[in-house]
Amino acid sequence: MRRKSNTHIILYIFLFMLIFTGCSTTKNLPAEEVLYTGINDITVQNEDLNAAGKRTLEEVEGAISVAPNNSFFGSPTMRIPFPLGLWIYNGFERYEKGIGKWIFKKFAADPVYLSKVNPDTRVKVASNLLRDYGYFNGKVTYQVDSTKNPRAVKLSYHIDMGRPYYLDSIMYEGFSPRADSLIRATRNERLLHRGDNFDVTKLEAERQRIVDLLRDNGYYYCRNEFITFLADTLMRSGYVNLKIVPRKNIPQEALRRYHIGHTSVYLTGYNGERPTDSLQTRNFTVHYSGKKLGIRYGVLRKRFLYRSGELYSQSRQNYTQEALSRLGVFKYNEMRYTPRTENSDTLDVQVNAMFDLPYDSELELNVTTKSTKQTGPGAIFKLSRKNFRGMGASLNLEMKGSYEWQTSSTVDGESSVMNSYELGAGLSLEFPRLVLPWIRDRVDPFRFPSQTNFKVYVDQVNRARYFKMLSFGGNVSYSFYPRRGMKHTVTPIHLAFNVLQHRTAAFDSIATANPMLFRSLDDQFIPSLTYTFTYDNSWEQKRNRIWWENSITSAGNVTSLIYAAFGQKFSQQDKKLLGNPFAQFLKVSSEMRHLLYLSDKQQLATRVMAGVIWAYGNKTIAPYSEQFYVGGANSIRAFTVRSIGPGRFHPAENSRYSYVDQTGDIKLEANLEYRFRILSKFLGGNLNGAAFLDAGNVWLMRKDEARPNAEFSLNRFFDSIALGTGIGIRYDLSFLILRLDWGIALHVPYDTGKSGYYNIPRFKDGMGIHFAIGYPF
C-alpha cells in the first residue's frame, strides 16, 4: 500500500507540472497588447573602440535593454524556460476572491507588454545619448521580430555610432575680473581638455566645478543655471569649439561676494521644547530651553568651521553641517542665510537643530548548535547614552552571555552532562573627533570625519569539567576619512590579559598530550597595535560596489624592543610583563566584497578573504583569541562556527579534543551569493531569496604531531577546502533584515569513509541552519 501511495503522489506531481507547462503565457492578455519576450539581436555599426566609445555604447545599450518576464539574471536576451509567474497570471487572473485571488496577488508576474517597453521612445532616447556623448551623426533603429506565438514578439536593434566629435578650443569668457581670476587660478583642475571626446556629462561636471569654486569664494547666490555653453561645429569638421560663459541678465546678488555675519543657533528639546533662554558671545548666540544648554558650549562652537567676517564658503557650510551631524546629538540641523539689508554683503546665519532621544538600545538573541553535541541560547544587549555629560560623545555598554548544554553523552565516554557558559561586558566612550593632547585648535586638523574610541572589556569563559578563563583589557583607537569612501583606523594601544583561573585534571591530561594546542590558552599578556585601511565606494551608488579592508597587527614587538634596550635579546623567549609572559606575533588580513546590481530586484554578491598570523620570539603559539576560524552564519554556512579545520584534521566525536573549537594560523575563504526578490510589500516588508556557495578552511603554520595534516601544504590543497551550498530567505523591514539560511555541505576536508568529492556520509549530517540579523557580507 505504501508503494502505491508513493506512486500516486508522483503521478499527481507529474500531472500538476503538465498542467502548468501546458499553460499559455498570452491566453489572457488584453486584445490590443502583445507580449515582449526580450531582445533578439543588437548590431553595432561604426563602433568606436576607445574608452569613451565603450562607455557610450554601454549607456546606449542600457537605454534599450529591457528584461522580459522570467529573464535570466536580469538579462534582456536570456530567459528561464519555466515562466511560472506568467503561468499563474494567465491561470488565476480571472479570480476575484478566495484562494485563487490570493495566489494571483502573491505569485503572479505582470506581463511585460511591447507597449510598456515602448521601443519608439527608447530609440529616441538612445539616439539622444549618442549626441550627448559627441556622436552627432549617430542613430538607433529597431525592428519587431515575430515568434512561434503570434501574440509574442522579440526586438532587434541597430546602433550606428557614426563619427565622434572632439573638443578643439575651450574658452572662458564674460566673467567678472575677480571670478575670472579664480577660474584661471584653478586651470589644472579643469575637467575639459582639448582633444577629448565631446561629452555632455563632462560639460555638466565642469559647470558644477565652476559653481562650487565661486560659492567657495563668497558667491552665495551663484547657481548652475547661471552658466551656459556655446558650441561651434562649423569652424573645423569633426571638432567642437567651446565657450563657457555666464548667462545674460543674471541677478545682481549672484555677482556679489558675501561675508558671514552673526550666527544664531536655536536648539529644540527632544520632546519639542522651544528655546526660552540664550547664551551670547560676540557674534555667536545659542538659544536653548530649560536651565541648561544641553551640550557644552565649547563642543558646539567648535563644530562651526567659520568666523564672523569671513567670506561665505559652501565647503565650510558642508563641513559644519557634517560636524554637527557626527555629534550624534541632533535629530536634524538646517542652516539658513539671510542678507542683513537689501544691498548688504553680509549674511546672518540661523541654525535650527532638534535634540535626539538621549538613549538607544538593541537586543540580539541567538541559538548556537555545535558539532560537539552542544546547544544553547545566547543574547547581546547594547545600551547607548548619547551626548554623555554634554561632551557630544556616546557612552556605550554592551553585555553578552550564552549558555550551552550537551545534548548527547559522548564526551570521554561518560554519561554526565557538560554545561558551559560565557559572560562578557564592554564599556566604550566614543567621540566624533580626534581626542589628542596636542590638538587644541577649534576643530580637528582634518576637515573630514574622524572618531576616537576608548574601550574596556571583561569576558568570562567556563568550560565545565575543563577550565575557566578570564579575559580583560582595553584599547584606544582613532579613525579618520581622508576623503569619502576611504577610512584609516589606528589602534596604538590595545592591552589584553588572558588568565586561566581554573584547570581540571582532565584538562591537564589533554594539555600534556598536546602542548602546542593548549599553550594558546595559557596565561598571557597581549600588548598590540593595529592599522586598518578600508575602501568603500557604495556611496557613489554604482552598479558595481566594492568594499575592501586590509589590516595589520603587531603584538609584543614594542615591549620586546624595551627589553632589548636593557640588554635582553629581541627573540628571547619567556619574557614577562606584569607577571605574565606576553604574546609576540604579526597578523595580516584582507577582505574584499563585491556587489553587482543585475537589476533592482537581483544582485550578485561575492567575498574573498585571507589572513595569516605568525607567532615568534617570546611565544611561538598565537593566542587563541587571535587565531582564525570558519563556519557559522557569516562564513561557510553549511557548518557551525569553528567546526572545520585546521587543514584536513578533524577530531572524532568521542575524542578528548572534540570540545575544543577548531582554529588556525592561516585562513582562506570565498563566498558567492545570488540575491533576488520573491515578494514585494509582504507583511510590511520585502521578502527576498538567496542561493549561495561557500568555500574555505584554516590551517596551522607549524606541524603539530597531535593534529596530523593540520598544517598548510600545497599537497591536496583543493581537497582541504570545505565546500557548501544552500538557499536562504531574507525579510527586509528597511531598518532591519531578518535572515534564515539553510546550508548544505558538499565536501569536507577530512576523511569520512566515503569516496568521491561529495564525501558527506549522510545528507542530514551536512546541513546547517542559521538565523541571523543582516546580510552575511
Side-chain angles (χ1 to χ4, degrees), residues 131-173:
R131 297 183 183 93
D132 287 344
Y133 286 104
Y135 299 86
F136 297 141
N137 300 318
K139 188 177 181 180
V140 182
T141 57
Y142 78 96
Q143 70 178 29
V144 179
D145 300 330
S146 59
T147 65
K148 293 180 180 179
N149 188 335
R151 302 207 56 196
V153 298
K154 287 181 175 289
L155 294 175
S156 291
Y157 290 93
H158 178 73
I159 303 172
D160 184 358
M161 296 189 69
R163 184 172 51 122
Y165 276 67
Y166 303 94
L167 293 178
D168 193 3
S169 62
I170 305 169
M171 302 178 66
Y172 298 78
E173 294 184 354

Side-chain angles (χ1 to χ4, degrees), residues 78-95:
M78 301 176 63
R79 302 176 69 200
I80 299 172
F82 303 104
L84 181 61
L86 279 179
W87 289 340
I88 294 177
Y89 177 89
N90 284 276
F92 293 87
E93 188 269 341
R94 66 183 183 276
Y95 291 98

Side-chain angles (χ1 to χ4, degrees), residues 363-383:
L363 177 64
E364 295 183 16
L365 301 174
N366 60 77
V367 176
T368 301
T369 301
K370 296 185 177 181
S371 59
T372 56
K373 307 297 185 184
Q374 286 181 268
T375 186
I380 300 176
F381 176 71
K382 300 177 183 179
L383 178 65

Side-chain angles (χ1 to χ4, degrees), residues 689-713:
F692 53 83
L693 185 68
D694 305 322
N697 202 351
V698 294
W699 294 264
L700 298 181
M701 291 283 286
R702 296 178 173 91
K703 190 173 183 179
D704 183 1
E705 297 296 339
R707 290 181 288 176
N709 300 316
E711 69 277 7
F712 181 82
S713 174

Side-chain angles (χ1 to χ4, degrees), residues 454-471:
F454 301 92
K455 181 180 180 179
V456 293
Y457 69 90
V458 59
D459 292 314
Q460 177 76 72
V461 178
N462 180 70
R463 297 292 191 192
R465 299 175 56 245
Y466 289 99
F467 68 87
K468 182 185 291 186
M469 175 182 286
L470 178 67
S471 300

Side-chain angles (χ1 to χ4, degrees), residues 328-361:
V329 173
F330 302 113
K331 186 176 296 183
Y332 68 84
N333 68 85
E334 59 178 8
M335 303 182 74
R336 298 179 181 177
Y337 294 83
T338 307
R340 283 187 176 175
T341 61
E342 184 176 351
N343 296 316
S344 172
D345 64 351
T346 300
L347 296 172
D348 287 330
V349 186
Q350 179 178 322
V351 180
N352 298 316
M354 182 177 183
F355 282 104
D356 202 355
L357 294 173
Y359 290 97
D360 191 14
S361 62

Side-chain angles (χ1 to χ4, degrees), residues 25-26 29 33-38 66-71 79 86 89 109-118 122 151-153:
T25 58
T26 58
L29 294 185
E33 295 290 356
V34 178
L35 183 68
Y36 165 76
T37 58
V66 179
N69 290 100
N70 58 289
S71 67
R79 302 176 69 200
L86 279 179
Y89 177 89
D110 292 334
V112 179
Y113 301 129
L114 182 64
S115 61
K116 290 183 178 180
V117 176
N118 198 350
R122 290 190 177 276
R151 302 207 56 196
V153 298

